[in-house]
Protein backbone atom coordinates (compact mmCIF):
# COMPACT_ATOMS: atom_id res chain seq x y z
CA UNK A 1 0.00 0.00 0.00
CA UNK A 2 1.10 3.58 -0.62
CA UNK A 3 0.40 5.61 2.48
CA UNK A 4 0.78 9.27 3.40
CA UNK A 5 1.10 10.16 7.07
CA UNK A 6 0.60 13.85 7.81
CA UNK A 7 2.21 15.03 11.06
CA UNK A 8 5.43 13.49 12.39
CA UNK A 9 4.86 13.79 16.14
CA UNK A 10 4.75 10.71 18.40
CA UNK A 11 1.70 9.25 16.73
CA UNK A 12 2.57 10.08 13.12
CA UNK A 13 6.16 8.96 13.29
CA UNK A 14 5.39 5.68 15.05
CA UNK A 15 2.48 4.99 12.69
CA UNK A 16 4.58 5.78 9.61
CA UNK A 17 7.57 3.76 10.75
CA UNK A 18 5.47 0.73 11.73
CA UNK A 19 3.47 0.69 8.48
CA UNK A 20 6.76 0.91 6.55
CA UNK A 21 8.19 -1.92 8.62
CA UNK A 22 5.17 -4.01 7.65
CA UNK A 23 6.17 -3.56 4.00
CA UNK A 24 4.15 -0.53 2.90
CA UNK A 25 5.55 2.53 1.12
CA UNK A 26 5.10 5.46 3.48
CA UNK A 27 5.38 9.18 2.75
CA UNK A 28 5.67 11.20 5.97
CA UNK A 29 4.82 14.88 5.77
CA UNK A 30 5.28 17.72 8.23
CA UNK A 31 5.28 21.49 7.81
CA UNK A 32 8.28 21.80 10.13
CA UNK A 33 11.14 21.98 7.63
CA UNK A 34 13.88 21.58 10.24
CA UNK A 35 12.28 18.44 11.63
CA UNK A 36 11.90 16.94 8.14
CA UNK A 37 15.54 17.67 7.32
CA UNK A 38 16.74 15.84 10.42
CA UNK A 39 14.29 12.95 9.90
CA UNK A 40 15.68 12.50 6.40
CA UNK A 41 19.04 11.85 8.05
CA UNK A 42 17.45 9.41 10.49
CA UNK A 43 17.71 11.87 13.39
CA UNK A 44 14.79 11.74 15.78
CA UNK A 45 14.12 14.38 18.41
CA UNK A 46 11.90 12.26 20.65
CA UNK A 47 12.98 9.35 22.80
CA UNK A 48 10.93 6.27 21.98
CA UNK A 49 12.50 2.84 22.42
CA UNK A 50 13.24 1.19 19.05
CA UNK A 51 11.91 4.04 16.92
CA UNK A 52 15.23 5.44 15.70
CA UNK A 53 16.41 2.02 14.56
CA UNK A 54 13.11 1.32 12.83
CA UNK A 55 13.08 4.64 10.98
CA UNK A 56 16.72 4.23 9.87
CA UNK A 57 16.13 0.69 8.67
CA UNK A 58 13.16 1.74 6.55
CA UNK A 59 14.92 4.80 5.12
CA UNK A 60 17.75 2.51 4.07
CA UNK A 61 15.34 0.04 2.47
CA UNK A 62 13.47 2.82 0.69
CA UNK A 63 10.11 2.22 2.34
CA UNK A 64 9.83 5.52 4.21
CA UNK A 65 10.61 9.07 3.11
CA UNK A 66 10.06 12.53 4.56
CA UNK A 67 8.96 15.77 2.95
CA UNK A 68 7.10 19.01 3.58
CA UNK A 69 4.84 18.57 0.58
CA UNK A 70 1.31 17.31 1.13
CA UNK A 71 0.79 17.79 -2.59
CA UNK A 72 3.31 15.27 -3.91
CA UNK A 73 2.71 12.75 -1.13
CA UNK A 74 -1.08 12.73 -1.43
CA UNK A 75 -0.89 12.26 -5.18
CA UNK A 76 1.18 9.10 -4.72
CA UNK A 77 -0.99 7.51 -1.99
CA UNK A 78 -4.33 5.80 -1.66
CA UNK A 79 -4.52 6.07 2.13
CA UNK A 80 -3.86 9.29 4.00
CA UNK A 81 -3.51 9.29 7.78
CA UNK A 82 -4.01 12.62 9.52
CA UNK A 83 -1.83 12.67 12.65
CA UNK A 84 -1.52 16.40 13.33
CA UNK A 85 -1.76 17.83 16.84
CA UNK A 86 -5.09 18.72 18.42
CA UNK A 87 -3.97 20.82 21.40
CA UNK A 88 -6.23 22.25 24.09
CA UNK A 89 -7.55 25.78 23.80
CA UNK A 90 -7.78 27.80 27.00
CA UNK A 91 -11.38 26.62 27.59
CA UNK A 92 -10.41 22.96 27.19
CA UNK A 93 -11.86 22.65 23.69
CA UNK A 94 -9.71 20.80 21.13
CA UNK A 95 -8.05 23.17 18.65
CA UNK A 96 -8.79 21.68 15.23
CA UNK A 97 -7.29 24.38 13.05
CA UNK A 98 -4.33 22.25 11.91
CA UNK A 99 -6.75 19.47 11.04
CA UNK A 100 -8.86 21.83 8.94
CA UNK A 101 -5.83 23.22 7.11
CA UNK A 102 -4.54 19.76 6.33
CA UNK A 103 -7.99 18.66 5.10
CA UNK A 104 -8.09 21.60 2.68
CA UNK A 105 -4.63 20.81 1.43
CA UNK A 106 -5.56 17.16 0.85
CA UNK A 107 -8.73 18.23 -0.95
CA UNK A 108 -6.84 20.48 -3.34
CA UNK A 109 -4.54 17.62 -4.31
CA UNK A 110 -6.92 14.72 -4.70
CA UNK A 111 -6.17 13.12 -8.07
CA UNK A 112 -7.81 9.70 -7.58
CA UNK A 113 -9.76 7.75 -4.94
CA UNK A 114 -8.40 8.43 -1.45
CA UNK A 115 -9.20 7.03 1.96
CA UNK A 116 -8.66 9.84 4.45
CA UNK A 117 -8.21 8.53 7.99
CA UNK A 118 -8.27 10.61 11.15
CA UNK A 119 -5.81 9.16 13.64
CA UNK A 120 -5.32 12.30 15.73
CA UNK A 121 -7.52 12.25 18.83
CA UNK A 122 -10.53 14.36 17.92
CA UNK A 123 -13.93 15.16 19.41
CA UNK A 124 -16.94 13.33 17.99
CA UNK A 125 -18.30 14.92 14.79
CA UNK A 126 -14.85 15.95 13.54
CA UNK A 127 -15.11 13.32 10.80
CA UNK A 128 -18.17 15.14 9.45
CA UNK A 129 -16.22 18.39 9.34
CA UNK A 130 -13.32 16.75 7.54
CA UNK A 131 -15.73 15.27 5.00
CA UNK A 132 -17.45 18.60 4.42
CA UNK A 133 -14.11 20.35 4.02
CA UNK A 134 -12.79 17.80 1.52
CA UNK A 135 -16.02 18.00 -0.46
CA UNK A 136 -15.95 21.78 -0.58
CA UNK A 137 -12.32 22.15 -1.53
CA UNK A 138 -11.70 19.21 -3.85
CA UNK A 139 -11.93 20.64 -7.31
CA UNK A 140 -11.10 17.32 -8.98
CA UNK A 141 -7.80 18.55 -10.32
CA UNK A 142 -9.48 21.46 -12.09
CA UNK A 143 -11.71 19.15 -14.11
CA UNK A 144 -15.41 18.89 -13.45
CA UNK A 145 -15.33 15.11 -12.77
CA UNK A 146 -16.17 13.94 -9.28
CA UNK A 147 -13.38 12.16 -7.47
CA UNK A 148 -14.48 9.66 -4.89
CA UNK A 149 -13.06 9.62 -1.40
CA UNK A 150 -13.91 8.09 1.96
CA UNK A 151 -13.38 9.31 5.49
CA UNK A 152 -12.55 6.96 8.34
CA UNK A 153 -11.68 7.21 12.00
CA UNK A 154 -8.91 4.96 13.27
CA UNK A 155 -7.95 6.12 16.76
CA UNK A 156 -4.58 5.13 18.19
CA UNK A 157 -4.09 3.61 21.61
CA UNK A 158 -0.29 3.81 21.72
CA UNK A 159 1.45 4.55 24.98
CA UNK A 160 4.60 6.60 24.95
CA UNK A 161 7.55 4.44 25.89
CA UNK A 162 6.02 1.29 24.41
CA UNK A 163 4.49 2.75 21.26
CA UNK A 164 6.05 0.30 18.79
CA UNK A 165 5.11 -2.71 20.87
CA UNK A 166 1.57 -1.31 21.21
CA UNK A 167 1.32 -0.71 17.47
CA UNK A 168 2.52 -4.18 16.54
CA UNK A 169 0.57 -6.03 19.25
CA UNK A 170 -2.59 -4.04 19.90
CA UNK A 171 -5.44 -5.23 22.14
CA UNK A 172 -7.80 -4.08 19.43
CA UNK A 173 -7.95 -1.99 16.30
CA UNK A 174 -10.91 0.37 15.97
CA UNK A 175 -12.03 1.47 12.54
CA UNK A 176 -14.97 3.79 12.03
CA UNK A 177 -16.14 3.74 8.41
CA UNK A 178 -19.02 4.64 6.13
CA UNK A 179 -18.33 2.41 3.17
CA UNK A 180 -17.46 -1.19 2.42
CA UNK A 181 -14.46 -0.08 0.43
CA UNK A 182 -12.99 1.84 3.38
CA UNK A 183 -13.61 -1.12 5.67
CA UNK A 184 -11.85 -3.46 3.23
CA UNK A 185 -8.81 -1.21 2.76
CA UNK A 186 -8.24 -0.70 6.48
CA UNK A 187 -8.93 -4.34 7.38
CA UNK A 188 -6.35 -5.44 4.79
CA UNK A 189 -3.83 -2.89 5.97
CA UNK A 190 -4.04 -4.14 9.55
CA UNK A 191 -4.34 -7.83 8.66
CA UNK A 192 -0.66 -8.64 9.36
CA UNK A 193 -1.13 -7.63 13.00
CA UNK A 194 -3.64 -10.40 13.57
CA UNK A 195 -5.54 -8.37 16.18
CA UNK A 196 -9.28 -8.12 16.91
CA UNK A 197 -10.80 -5.40 14.73
CA UNK A 198 -13.83 -3.40 15.87
CA UNK A 199 -15.59 -2.05 12.81
CA UNK A 200 -18.06 0.68 13.59
CA UNK A 201 -19.33 4.07 12.40
CA UNK A 202 -17.11 7.14 12.48
CA UNK A 203 -18.80 8.88 15.43
CA UNK A 204 -18.65 5.77 17.60
CA UNK A 205 -14.95 5.33 16.79
CA UNK A 206 -14.28 8.94 17.77
CA UNK A 207 -16.07 8.45 21.09
CA UNK A 208 -14.26 5.14 21.73
CA UNK A 209 -10.98 7.05 21.87
CA UNK A 210 -12.14 9.80 24.24
CA UNK A 211 -14.03 7.30 26.40
CA UNK A 212 -11.00 4.95 26.64
CA UNK A 213 -8.63 7.64 27.84
CA UNK A 214 -11.26 9.04 30.21
CA UNK A 215 -11.89 5.61 31.69
CA UNK A 216 -8.18 4.97 32.24
CA UNK A 217 -7.80 8.39 33.89
CA UNK A 218 -10.85 7.58 36.02
CA UNK A 219 -9.19 4.37 37.24
CA UNK A 220 -6.13 6.36 38.32
CA UNK A 221 -8.14 9.04 40.15
CA UNK A 222 -10.29 6.34 41.75
CA UNK A 223 -7.30 4.49 43.15
CA UNK A 224 -5.75 7.76 44.30
CA UNK A 225 -8.97 8.61 46.17
CA UNK A 226 -8.94 5.16 47.77
CA UNK A 227 -5.27 5.69 48.71
CA UNK A 228 -6.25 8.75 50.77
CA UNK A 229 -8.83 6.66 52.62
CA UNK A 230 -6.27 3.89 53.16
CA UNK A 231 -3.86 6.37 54.64
CA UNK A 232 -6.44 7.74 57.06
CA UNK A 233 -7.61 4.26 58.04
CA UNK A 234 -4.18 2.63 58.29
CA UNK A 235 -4.74 0.24 55.36
CA UNK A 236 -2.39 -0.41 52.43
CA UNK A 237 -3.31 0.70 48.89
CA UNK A 238 -1.17 -1.96 47.20
CA UNK A 239 -3.07 -4.70 49.02
CA UNK A 240 -6.38 -3.04 48.25
CA UNK A 241 -5.51 -2.55 44.54
CA UNK A 242 -4.50 -6.21 44.30
CA UNK A 243 -7.68 -7.31 46.02
CA UNK A 244 -9.95 -5.38 43.71
CA UNK A 245 -7.87 -5.75 40.53
CA UNK A 246 -8.07 -9.53 40.52
CA UNK A 247 -11.76 -9.21 39.74
CA UNK A 248 -11.67 -9.56 35.95
CA UNK A 249 -14.45 -7.02 35.57
CA UNK A 250 -12.21 -4.42 37.22
CA UNK A 251 -8.78 -5.51 35.96
CA UNK A 252 -5.31 -5.10 37.47
CA UNK A 253 -3.98 -2.36 35.19
CA UNK A 254 -3.98 1.34 35.96
CA UNK A 255 -4.46 0.91 39.68
CA UNK A 256 -1.13 2.37 40.79
CA UNK A 257 -1.68 5.20 43.24
CA UNK A 258 0.82 8.03 43.25
CA UNK A 259 1.51 11.57 42.11
CA UNK A 260 -1.23 11.33 39.46
CA UNK A 261 -1.39 11.24 35.69
CA UNK A 262 0.22 13.67 33.27
CA UNK A 263 1.33 13.56 29.66
CA UNK A 264 0.10 15.04 26.44
CA UNK A 265 -3.04 12.90 26.26
CA UNK A 266 -5.08 12.34 29.42
CA UNK A 267 -5.31 15.98 30.62
CA UNK A 268 -6.03 17.26 27.10
CA UNK A 269 -8.49 14.52 26.19
CA UNK A 270 -10.46 14.79 29.44
CA UNK A 271 -10.92 18.51 28.88
CA UNK A 272 -11.87 18.03 25.23
CA UNK A 273 -14.37 15.29 26.12
CA UNK A 274 -15.96 17.45 28.83
CA UNK A 275 -16.19 20.28 26.33
CA UNK A 276 -17.76 18.34 23.46
CA UNK A 277 -20.16 16.62 25.88
CA UNK A 278 -21.35 20.00 27.09
CA UNK A 279 -21.72 21.22 23.52
CA UNK A 280 -23.92 18.20 22.87
CA UNK A 281 -25.98 18.98 25.98
CA UNK A 282 -24.41 16.73 28.65
CA UNK A 283 -22.66 18.13 31.71
CA UNK A 284 -19.79 15.76 32.44
CA UNK A 285 -19.23 16.73 36.11
CA UNK A 286 -18.00 13.20 36.74
CA UNK A 287 -14.89 13.83 34.63
CA UNK A 288 -14.38 17.23 36.28
CA UNK A 289 -14.04 15.33 39.53
CA UNK A 290 -11.49 12.94 37.96
CA UNK A 291 -9.44 16.00 36.99
CA UNK A 292 -9.82 17.58 40.42
CA UNK A 293 -8.63 14.47 42.25
CA UNK A 294 -5.61 14.34 39.93
CA UNK A 295 -4.70 17.95 40.76
CA UNK A 296 -5.12 17.21 44.44
CA UNK A 297 -2.46 14.47 44.29
CA UNK A 298 0.19 17.16 43.89
CA UNK A 299 -0.97 18.74 47.18
CA UNK A 300 -0.77 15.27 48.72
CA UNK A 301 2.92 15.00 47.74
CA UNK A 302 3.79 18.50 48.98
CA UNK A 303 1.98 17.87 52.29
CA UNK A 304 4.01 14.70 52.74
CA UNK A 305 7.26 16.62 52.22
CA UNK A 306 6.14 19.22 54.77
CA UNK A 307 5.27 16.55 57.30
CA UNK A 308 8.74 15.01 57.01
CA UNK A 309 10.97 18.07 56.97
CA UNK A 310 8.80 20.66 58.76
CA UNK A 311 9.66 23.96 57.00
CA UNK A 312 10.48 24.35 53.32
CA UNK A 313 12.51 27.61 53.12
CA UNK A 314 16.22 26.95 52.81
CA UNK A 315 15.80 23.16 52.57
CA UNK A 316 17.20 21.15 49.67
CA UNK A 317 14.72 18.80 48.04
CA UNK A 318 16.09 16.08 45.77
CA UNK A 319 13.78 15.07 42.94
CA UNK A 320 14.14 11.69 41.23
CA UNK A 321 12.19 11.62 37.97
CA UNK A 322 10.92 14.50 35.86
CA UNK A 323 9.15 12.83 32.92
CA UNK A 324 5.40 12.18 33.25
CA UNK A 325 6.12 8.45 33.36
CA UNK A 326 9.09 6.10 32.86
CA UNK A 327 10.67 5.31 29.47
CA UNK A 328 9.98 8.66 27.91
CA UNK A 329 11.67 12.06 27.86
CA UNK A 330 8.27 13.75 27.69
CA UNK A 331 7.54 16.17 30.51
CA UNK A 332 4.29 17.62 29.18
CA UNK A 333 1.87 18.04 32.12
CA UNK A 334 4.20 15.99 34.29
CA UNK A 335 3.33 16.30 38.01
CA UNK A 336 7.03 17.18 38.55
CA UNK A 337 6.57 20.60 36.91
CA UNK A 338 3.89 21.87 39.31
CA UNK A 339 5.43 20.24 42.35
CA UNK A 340 8.91 21.68 41.67
CA UNK A 341 7.56 25.13 40.85
CA UNK A 342 5.56 25.21 44.05
CA UNK A 343 8.49 24.04 46.17
CA UNK A 344 10.73 26.73 44.66
CA UNK A 345 8.06 29.37 45.30
CA UNK A 346 8.01 28.27 48.93
CA UNK A 347 11.78 28.78 49.19
CA UNK A 348 13.23 25.31 48.54
CA UNK A 349 16.45 24.57 46.69
CA UNK A 350 15.93 21.82 44.10
CA UNK A 351 18.34 19.14 42.92
CA UNK A 352 16.98 16.87 40.21
CA UNK A 353 17.81 13.90 38.03
CA UNK A 354 15.96 12.04 35.29
CA UNK A 355 17.49 9.39 33.01
CA UNK A 356 16.04 10.94 29.83
CA UNK A 357 14.08 14.12 30.49
CA UNK A 358 16.78 16.52 31.75
CA UNK A 359 17.23 18.37 28.48
CA UNK A 360 13.52 18.97 27.94
CA UNK A 361 13.11 19.99 31.60
CA UNK A 362 15.77 22.70 31.34
CA UNK A 363 13.60 24.55 28.83
CA UNK A 364 10.43 24.31 30.90
CA UNK A 365 11.29 24.39 34.59
CA UNK A 366 12.32 27.53 36.50
CA UNK A 367 15.96 28.56 36.54
CA UNK A 368 18.13 27.74 39.54
CA UNK A 369 17.55 23.97 39.64
CA UNK A 370 20.71 21.89 40.07
CA UNK A 371 20.62 19.09 37.51
CA UNK A 372 22.55 16.06 38.75
CA UNK A 373 24.28 13.13 37.08
CA UNK A 374 22.49 10.36 39.00
CA UNK A 375 20.36 9.54 42.05
CA UNK A 376 23.35 9.65 44.43
CA UNK A 377 24.36 13.07 43.20
CA UNK A 378 20.80 14.23 43.96
CA UNK A 379 20.87 12.70 47.43
CA UNK A 380 24.15 14.43 48.40
CA UNK A 381 23.18 17.14 50.89
CA UNK A 382 19.41 16.87 50.30
CA UNK A 383 16.96 17.08 53.20
CA UNK A 384 14.43 14.90 51.45
CA UNK A 385 14.35 12.63 48.40
CA UNK A 386 11.13 12.71 46.37
CA UNK A 387 10.35 10.06 43.73
CA UNK A 388 8.12 11.50 41.01
CA UNK A 389 8.68 9.00 38.16
CA UNK A 390 8.96 5.26 38.67
CA UNK A 391 12.02 4.66 36.44
CA UNK A 392 13.45 1.16 36.85
CA UNK A 393 16.90 2.51 37.71
CA UNK A 394 15.47 4.08 40.89
CA UNK A 395 14.10 0.75 42.09
CA UNK A 396 17.42 -0.89 42.88
CA UNK A 397 19.62 1.78 44.46
CA UNK A 398 22.40 1.32 46.99
CA UNK A 399 20.32 2.49 49.93
CA UNK A 400 23.17 2.46 52.43
CA UNK A 401 25.10 4.87 50.23
CA UNK A 402 21.97 6.95 49.68
CA UNK A 403 21.37 7.23 53.42
CA UNK A 404 24.89 8.44 54.04
CA UNK A 405 24.59 11.10 51.35
CA UNK A 406 21.26 12.54 52.50
CA UNK A 407 21.28 15.30 55.11
CA UNK A 408 18.19 13.67 56.63
CA UNK A 409 17.28 10.09 55.67
CA UNK A 410 13.81 11.00 54.43
CA UNK A 411 12.05 9.71 51.30
CA UNK A 412 8.68 10.66 49.83
CA UNK A 413 7.87 7.93 47.34
CA UNK A 414 5.37 9.51 44.95
CA UNK A 415 5.20 6.35 42.81
CA UNK A 416 5.16 3.65 45.49
CA UNK A 417 8.23 1.90 44.11
CA UNK A 418 9.69 0.86 47.49
CA UNK A 419 8.57 -1.47 50.23
CA UNK A 420 7.74 0.64 53.32
CA UNK A 421 8.83 -2.10 55.73
CA UNK A 422 12.23 -2.47 54.04
CA UNK A 423 12.79 1.25 54.02
CA UNK A 424 11.95 1.49 57.70
CA UNK A 425 14.28 -1.40 58.47
CA UNK A 426 17.07 0.39 56.67
CA UNK A 427 16.52 3.44 58.84
CA UNK A 428 14.72 5.75 56.45
CA UNK A 429 11.87 8.02 57.42
CA UNK A 430 9.73 6.89 54.52
CA UNK A 431 6.28 7.66 53.21
CA UNK A 432 4.57 6.39 50.09
CA UNK A 433 1.06 7.18 48.83
CA UNK A 434 -1.62 5.27 50.77
CA UNK A 435 0.91 2.79 52.17
CA UNK A 436 0.89 1.18 55.56
CA UNK A 437 4.26 1.64 57.21
C1 LIG B 1 -2.30 7.23 27.03
C2 LIG B 1 -3.08 5.92 26.83
O1 LIG B 1 -2.66 4.93 27.76
C3 LIG B 1 -2.90 5.40 25.40
O2 LIG B 1 -3.72 4.24 25.20
C4 LIG B 1 -3.30 6.49 24.41
O3 LIG B 1 -3.09 6.08 23.07
C5 LIG B 1 -2.48 7.73 24.66
O4 LIG B 1 -2.67 8.17 26.03
C6 LIG B 1 -2.95 8.80 23.69
O5 LIG B 1 -4.09 9.24 23.81
O6 LIG B 1 -2.23 9.09 22.73
P1 LIG B 1 0.29 7.81 27.56
O7 LIG B 1 -0.16 9.24 27.68
O8 LIG B 1 1.50 7.47 26.77
O9 LIG B 1 -0.90 6.92 26.90
O10 LIG B 1 0.54 7.30 29.03
P2 LIG B 1 -0.01 6.19 30.03
O11 LIG B 1 0.89 5.05 30.06
O12 LIG B 1 -1.44 5.91 29.78
O13 LIG B 1 0.14 6.97 31.42
C7 LIG B 1 -0.53 8.20 31.66
C8 LIG B 1 -0.23 8.75 33.04
O14 LIG B 1 -0.91 7.99 34.03
C9 LIG B 1 1.23 8.74 33.45
O15 LIG B 1 1.53 9.99 34.04
C10 LIG B 1 1.33 7.63 34.47
O16 LIG B 1 2.34 7.85 35.41
C11 LIG B 1 -0.04 7.69 35.10
N1 LIG B 1 -0.48 6.42 35.71
C12 LIG B 1 -0.70 5.33 34.92
C13 LIG B 1 -0.71 6.34 37.07
O17 LIG B 1 -0.55 7.33 37.82
N2 LIG B 1 -1.16 5.15 37.60
C14 LIG B 1 -1.38 4.06 36.84
O18 LIG B 1 -1.78 3.02 37.40
C15 LIG B 1 -1.14 4.15 35.47
Amino acid sequence: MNITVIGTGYVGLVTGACFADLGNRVYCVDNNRKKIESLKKGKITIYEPGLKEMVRRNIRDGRISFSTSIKTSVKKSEIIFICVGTPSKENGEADLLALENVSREIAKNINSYKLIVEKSTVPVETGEWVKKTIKTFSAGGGKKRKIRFDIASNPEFLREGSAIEDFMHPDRIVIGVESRKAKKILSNLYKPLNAPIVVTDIKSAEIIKHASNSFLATKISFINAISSICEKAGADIKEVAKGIGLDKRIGKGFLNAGAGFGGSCFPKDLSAFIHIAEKLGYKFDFLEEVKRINEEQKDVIIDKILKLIWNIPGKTIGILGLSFKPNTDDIRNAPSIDIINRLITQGARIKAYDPKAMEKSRGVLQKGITYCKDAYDVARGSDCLVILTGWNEFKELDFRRLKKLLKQPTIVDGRNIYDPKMMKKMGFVYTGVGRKV
Side-chain angles (χ1 to χ4, degrees):
M1 284 287 195
N2 286 342
I3 300 169
T4 286
V5 175
I6 304 175
T8 57
Y10 268 106
V11 175
L13 199 53
V14 172
T15 303
C18 289
F19 277 136
D21 220 51
L22 291 171
N24 300 286
R25 178 65 178 91
V26 179
Y27 302 91
C28 288
V29 186
D30 202 293
N31 60 6
N32 184 333
R33 198 168 289 277
K34 237 172 109 186
K35 199 171 176 187
I36 288 297
E37 283 317 310
S38 60
L39 282 170
K40 277 181 182 168
K41 293 179 206 136
K43 282 192 201 147
I44 292 165
T45 49
I46 50 175
Y47 170 72
E48 184 62 41
L51 185 59
K52 190 172 68 190
E53 295 75 13
M54 189 180 260
V55 168
R56 287 184 181 171
R57 185 166 67 238
N58 284 286
I59 293 178
R60 195 193 56 215
D61 296 347
R63 280 191 299 264
I64 196 167
S65 55
F66 299 92
S67 86
T68 51
S69 170
I70 289 186
K71 188 175 171 181
T72 49
S73 309
V74 162
K75 291 208 157 114
K76 286 188 265 192
S77 312
E78 187 178 17
I79 313 175
I80 299 148
F81 281 93
I82 305 181
C83 302
V84 294
T86 52
S88 275
K89 291 186 193 171
E90 213 137 87
N91 63 356
E93 188 180 0
D95 185 343
L96 301 173
L97 200 60
L99 209 106
E100 183 187 339
N101 289 338
V102 161
S103 305
R104 284 190 193 200
E105 210 45 42
I106 296 170
K108 280 194 257 162
N109 293 293
I110 283 189
N111 56 339
S112 56
Y113 171 84
K114 308 283 172 200
L115 172 58
I116 299 144
V117 191
E118 30 167 57
K119 210 173 215 348
S120 308
T121 300
V122 291
V124 61
E125 294 182 340
T126 303
E128 290 197 344
W129 277 106
V130 173
K131 189 164 151 191
K132 219 153 90 184
T133 308
I134 306 265
K135 247 191 197 151
T136 313
F137 291 91
S138 59
K143 298 167 205 131
K144 284 257 153 59
R145 77 196 157 91
K146 262 237 155 324
I147 289 176
R148 275 201 351 103
F149 70 90
D150 274 311
I151 302 288
S153 164
N154 170 221
E156 53 82 23
F157 302 103
L158 313 174
R159 288 163 301 173
E160 286 181 23
S162 55
I164 290 179
E165 174 69 21
D166 289 348
F167 187 98
M168 293 298 186
H169 306 283
D171 291 343
R172 81 302 205 186
I173 288 155
V174 173
I175 53 181
V177 284
E178 286 178 332
S179 79
R180 259 199 231 145
K181 183 167 182 168
K183 175 184 165 187
K184 200 168 155 206
I185 294 174
L186 284 174
S187 305
N188 280 339
L189 183 66
Y190 280 110
K191 210 171 177 182
L193 299 185
N194 221 355
I197 299 184
V198 178
V199 180
T200 180
D201 59 280
I202 295 176
K203 286 183 184 174
S204 301
E206 289 168 334
I207 289 190
I208 286 172
K209 170 67 194 207
H210 264 163
S212 296
N213 273 5
S214 301
F215 191 80
L216 290 169
T218 300
K219 270 190 111 175
I220 300 170
S221 280
F222 179 81
I223 205 69
N224 280 332
I226 301 293
S227 78
S228 296
I229 300 170
C230 282
E231 217 159 278
K232 291 182 200 305
D236 190 275
I237 191 62
K238 285 235 171 173
E239 300 295 315
V240 173
K242 191 170 158 197
I244 60 177
L246 282 169
D247 183 329
K248 285 198 192 75
R249 293 168 303 173
I250 297 173
K252 287 184 272 186
F254 274 70
L255 288 179
N256 295 319
F261 60 78
S264 65
C265 304
F266 285 178
K268 167 177 81 85
D269 293 351
L270 287 188
S271 299
F273 204 18
I274 292 170
H275 197 277
I276 187 70
E278 188 159 3
K279 215 166 162 184
L280 293 167
Y282 182 79
K283 249 179 118 0
F284 218 154
D285 288 340
F286 175 85
L287 280 189
E288 292 284 7
E289 191 59 14
V290 169
K291 273 172 65 179
R292 191 194 60 74
I293 293 171
N294 195 53
E295 282 307 302
E296 212 172 68
Q297 284 314 104
K298 296 168 197 164
D299 302 333
V300 167
I301 301 294
I302 291 179
D303 283 351
K304 283 178 183 296
I305 301 171
L306 279 171
K307 271 198 190 121
L308 292 194
I309 63 167
W310 197 9
N311 293 302
I312 297 275
K315 297 271 169 56
T316 303
I317 316 275
I319 304 288
L320 292 189
L322 297 166
S323 56
F324 81 98
K325 64 170 190 179
N327 299 324
T328 175
D329 63 349
D330 196 344
I331 56 158
R332 286 176 287 177
N333 295 305
S336 65
I337 302 175
D338 266 3
I339 292 174
I340 289 176
N341 283 341
R342 282 161 62 182
L343 288 170
I344 292 178
T345 309
Q346 290 181 41
R349 275 194 294 262
I350 301 290
K351 293 179 85 176
Y353 168 71
D354 186 285
K356 293 281 175 212
M358 306 266 266
E359 213 179 297
K360 291 207 167 140
S361 301
R362 278 196 178 94
V364 172
L365 293 170
Q366 295 189 37
K367 300 268 167 295
I369 293 170
T370 308
Y371 291 95
C372 300
K373 66 174 195 306
D374 57 22
Y376 305 105
D377 198 11
V378 171
R380 191 172 293 113
S382 286
D383 291 276
C384 181
L385 208 55
V386 184
I387 319 289
L388 291 182
T389 318
W391 284 94
N392 271 342
E393 71 170 70
F394 301 151
K395 291 182 182 162
E396 298 291 339
L397 294 170
D398 177 348
F399 292 105
R400 256 190 226 144
R401 186 173 162 207
L402 212 63
K403 207 174 136 205
K404 275 195 205 131
L405 291 167
L406 282 163
K407 209 186 273 172
Q408 312 183 42
T410 49
I411 297 184
V412 173
D413 183 357
R415 293 295 175 187
N416 285 347
I417 60 174
Y418 302 128
D419 176 3
K421 284 195 191 89
M422 284 278 288
M423 299 312 277
K424 201 176 166 188
K425 219 163 119 191
M426 280 186 286
F428 285 99
V429 181
Y430 170 88
T431 175
V433 178
R435 303 302 310 270
K436 187 172 168 181
V437 187

